Amino acid sequence: MTDSNSKHGDEFQEIGHCGGQFTVTVKIAADGGRDINFGIRSSHAPASWFGIYALPQGIPVGTIQMGGIGVRWNPAPFPGCLAIFIASDSHGRHGHECPQCDGYWRSDGAAIRWPMTCPYCGRRAYAHEFITEGQLRYVKECCELITQAMQSQDYGEYGIDMDNVADAVGRDSPKPKFYYAEESQQNKYNCLACGDFNDILGRYGYCSSCGTHNGCMNSRRTSI
């Protein structure tokens, strides 16, 4: 079913990346060594991000539980993991893909403290296990950038500027391999159990945030 009043158009439409920059800053540490910091900057709205841990080869292995100022992240599951931040589409939504059934959907974000649920097959797993092929290419590109910055003898800021890429989409210039977009599905609704947004293929499915099946209750449709 499609929401004909949606201000964002019909089903199966590409939704561009929100833009922003992923940065790696290399500077001299207090002890004279090298200090490396990761960061994100966002200039387009709406936009949201979630963090994952990845091996240097670009393999996601954990979800980062980011808290407020002064709150430490959960430790990485393996030594040498890199912190990568994955941005939303230009509607502030995140795409997900199930490794079990290959189903694709969008949601408000990525749960960081509990497993998510695939709307189609019901598989429960953490957010880093549900990233899409496009997001995975971006993760690998970020890992290569970090490795390059760590091996370089130069200090300063290295980055991937998705603003320039997002602005160029639709022009004659080819998209770089790490650019990813999302796609609207058929049924956009807010789960009555938890209130979170879901955009799924078909009418019925599990809420990816709380796992409640929308066939068990009359979920409220959304125009977003």
Side-chain angles (χ1 to χ4, degrees), residues 105-125:
W105 75 97
R106 293 191 307 143
S107 74
D108 273 328
I112 60 174
R113 300 186 185 278
W114 60 86
M116 298 180 68
T117 302
C118 171
Y120 311 110
C121 69
R123 177 188 174 97
R124 290 177 59 78

Side-chain angles (χ1 to χ4, degrees), residues 20-222:
Q21 299 91 33
F22 174 75
T23 62
V24 182
T25 304
V26 183
K27 57 185 179 180
I28 301 176
D31 60 2
R34 292 163 61 84
D35 188 17
I36 299 180
N37 295 314
F38 310 130
I40 51 174
R41 287 195 296 263
S42 179
S43 57
H44 292 180
S48 63
W49 305 70
F50 71 96
I52 68 166
Y53 286 118
L55 298 178
Q57 298 87 345
I59 302 172
V61 292
T63 303
I64 299 176
Q65 299 174 9
M66 294 183 289
I69 298 176
V71 177
R72 290 183 176 274
W73 295 353
N74 57 306
F78 303 104
C81 284
L82 306 177
I84 308 296
F85 302 98
I86 298 177
S88 68
D89 61 30
S90 58
H91 297 173
R93 313 297 191 186
H94 289 270
H96 313 279
E97 188 173 322
C98 178
Q100 179 167 292
C101 70
D102 297 326
Y104 171 85
W105 75 97
R106 293 191 307 143
S107 74
D108 273 328
I112 60 174
R113 300 186 185 278
W114 60 86
M116 298 180 68
T117 302
C118 171
Y120 311 110
C121 69
R123 177 188 174 97
R124 290 177 59 78
Y126 286 93
H128 69 278
E129 300 177 72
F130 284 130
I131 69 172
T132 67
E133 290 186 11
Q135 292 167 352
L136 182 59
R137 290 195 301 270
Y138 173 78
V139 169
K140 291 181 177 179
E141 184 75 13
C142 289
C143 289
E144 291 178 5
L145 175 70
I146 296 171
T147 300
Q148 174 188 348
M150 294 173 66
Q151 294 176 347
S152 173
Q153 299 301 312
D154 297 328
Y155 296 98
E157 183 177 281
Y158 301 75
I160 296 177
D161 191 341
M162 295 296 282
D163 281 335
N164 291 337
V165 177
D167 291 342
V169 171
R171 302 176 184 174
D172 293 335
S173 56
K175 300 176 185 177
K177 64 179 182 179
F178 58 82
Y179 175 80
Y180 65 92
E182 304 301 347
E183 182 184 76
S184 62
Q185 298 299 287
Q186 293 178 306
N187 182 18
K188 301 172 179 61
Y189 73 94
N190 290 97
C191 175
L192 287 183
C194 70
D196 277 6
F197 169 88
N198 293 271
D199 180 13
I200 65 174
L201 182 66
R203 183 172 184 178
Y204 297 111
Y206 299 99
C207 171
S208 65
S209 180
C210 72
T212 301
H213 197 279
N214 63 2
C216 300
M217 52 177 55
N218 295 318
S219 301
R220 183 176 69 255
R221 296 194 60 79
T222 180

